[in-house]
Amino acid sequence: MNSSVSTHEGRTALVTGAGQGIGQAIALALAKRGARVIATDLAAPEATVGKIGKNAFALPLDVTREEDWRSVFLQSQEIGDIDIIVNNAGYFPNRLIDELDLPTWRKTMATNLDSHFLSVKYFLPGMRKKKWGRFVGISSNMVGLAILGMSHYIASKMAIMGFMRGLANDVAGDGITANALLPGLMNTPATSSQSEEQKRSTWEQQAIKRLGEPEDITGAVLFLTSDDAAFMTGQAIVVDGGQYRLG
Ligand SMILES: NC(=O)c1ccc[n+]([C@@H]2O[C@H](COP(=O)([O-])OP(=O)(O)OC[C@H]3O[C@@H](n4cnc5c(N)ncnc54)[C@H](O)[C@@H]3O)[C@@H](O)[C@H]2O)c1
């Protein structure tokens, strides 16, 4: 990734789940390209903002809570209108369908899906005024894989793709795009409990034979959130080293 260019100068980006893993890598990459970054997580991600330095702000945001979105919206007014939202926070417990309970189902949907709607509710009006905006939803390539115990997760991640397709239609007239990004298995704290053997059995299915790093996702995010991607919307982009190929 070339971070010496300032493709995102003058933009303000909000990233959810930016305390670690993919979200942190995205926040850092957007900042390197010149964006002012509002990094959010369950607790304010001070460590992420510390890595960025100036031009970054850490705010607490539980993406399932509307009052948190409202509060972040109000606080962001002091910082600047949000141009870019990357909804990255995710919840992914493994539960075979016979063990899946309604609270787990609802928490999965609230974290992985409600968040996208709530971000639009609070930040779309500002983007419409500026006639520019970018929504990126982090889905998963698991939507196309035969993984046990993830029916709730796969449902929520397919729904992100559906929401982005529908949203793209409603906002296109104001220079706003909405796309989903589908990572493959990545080396993050979330996957650290998997054995090396388990991880290998996944990455051996990829064209590129190695485990993905969070930084492998950032190039696609930078493109989708730049002016270069102005004619690209409602799409689902797979970034997984060539494991899952859309037909
Ligand atoms: N790691 C992978 O292999 C992989 C693969 C495909 C897709 N994804 C997706 O990428 C995203 C990030 O994954 P990761 O591996 O970096 O996860 P991670 O668990 O390492 O980090 C996720 C972050 O989200 C935060 N978070 C969780 N619930 C939240 C909530 N309700 N509100 C706000 N923040 C919350 C956590 O505190 C954490 O900092 C998720 O949406 C995940 O589904 C990950």
Side-chain angles (χ1 to χ4, degrees), residues 44-239:
E46 303 292 352
T48 301
V49 164
K51 285 184 186 196
I52 295 173
K54 63 177 174 57
N55 238 2
F57 306 82
L59 295 179
L61 168 62
D62 178 337
V63 297
T64 68
R65 291 164 56 95
E66 179 165 9
E67 54 271 40
D68 283 17
W69 280 102
R70 191 181 301 115
S71 163
V72 166
F73 168 71
L74 292 172
Q75 291 174 78
S76 72
Q77 305 278 281
E78 311 284 308
I79 298 167
D81 282 335
I82 303 293
D83 306 287
I84 296 165
I85 303 256
V86 183
N87 266 300
N88 159 81
Y91 182 61
F92 28 85
N94 190 288
R95 298 278 190 285
L96 288 170
I97 193 66
D98 318 85
E99 294 155 7
L100 183 60
D101 54 47
L102 192 55
T104 304
W105 171 272
R106 289 208 166 128
K107 187 171 173 183
T108 305
M109 294 303 160
T111 312
N112 298 355
L113 192 55
D114 292 6
S115 49
H116 296 262
F117 166 66
L118 289 170
S119 71
V120 170
K121 177 173 173 185
Y122 285 93
F123 292 101
L124 177 61
M127 291 181 189
R128 283 208 191 277
K129 268 191 216 131
K130 292 176 85 170
K131 302 274 181 220
W132 199 96
R134 298 283 185 268
F135 288 97
V136 175
I138 303 298
S139 174
S140 172
N141 82 341
M142 205 186 279
V143 300
L145 304 178
I147 312 272
L148 289 171
M150 296 305 277
S151 60
H152 49 305
Y153 179 73
I154 291 170
S156 71
K157 293 294 186 181
M158 279 300 280
I160 293 171
M161 294 158 63
F163 183 60
M164 290 301 158
R165 279 189 189 177
L167 178 62
N169 300 324
D170 289 4
V171 300
D174 282 327
I176 302 164
T177 67
N179 292 285
L181 209 147
L182 284 61
L185 183 68
M186 296 289 144
N187 183 21
T188 72
T191 57
S192 61
S193 60
Q194 289 191 22
S195 67
E196 288 311 311
E197 211 171 279
Q198 269 177 307
K199 288 179 192 160
R200 172 179 281 271
S201 74
T202 299
W203 61 249
E204 275 185 345
Q205 297 164 29
Q206 301 166 188
I208 300 169
K209 307 280 183 212
R210 66 170 173 82
L211 181 61
E213 295 295 332
E215 294 70 24
D216 287 316
I217 300 302
T218 59
V221 176
L222 291 173
F223 170 61
L224 289 174
T225 56
S226 71
D227 280 324
D228 294 332
F231 198 55
M232 192 163 171
T233 194
Q235 301 303 311
I237 315 297
V238 183
V239 185

Side-chain angles (χ1 to χ4, degrees), residues 13-19 27 37-41 43-45 48-49 52 56-60:
L14 185 151
V15 183
T16 70
V37 172
I38 302 180
T40 70
D41 208 302
T48 301
V49 164
I52 295 173
F57 306 82
L59 295 179

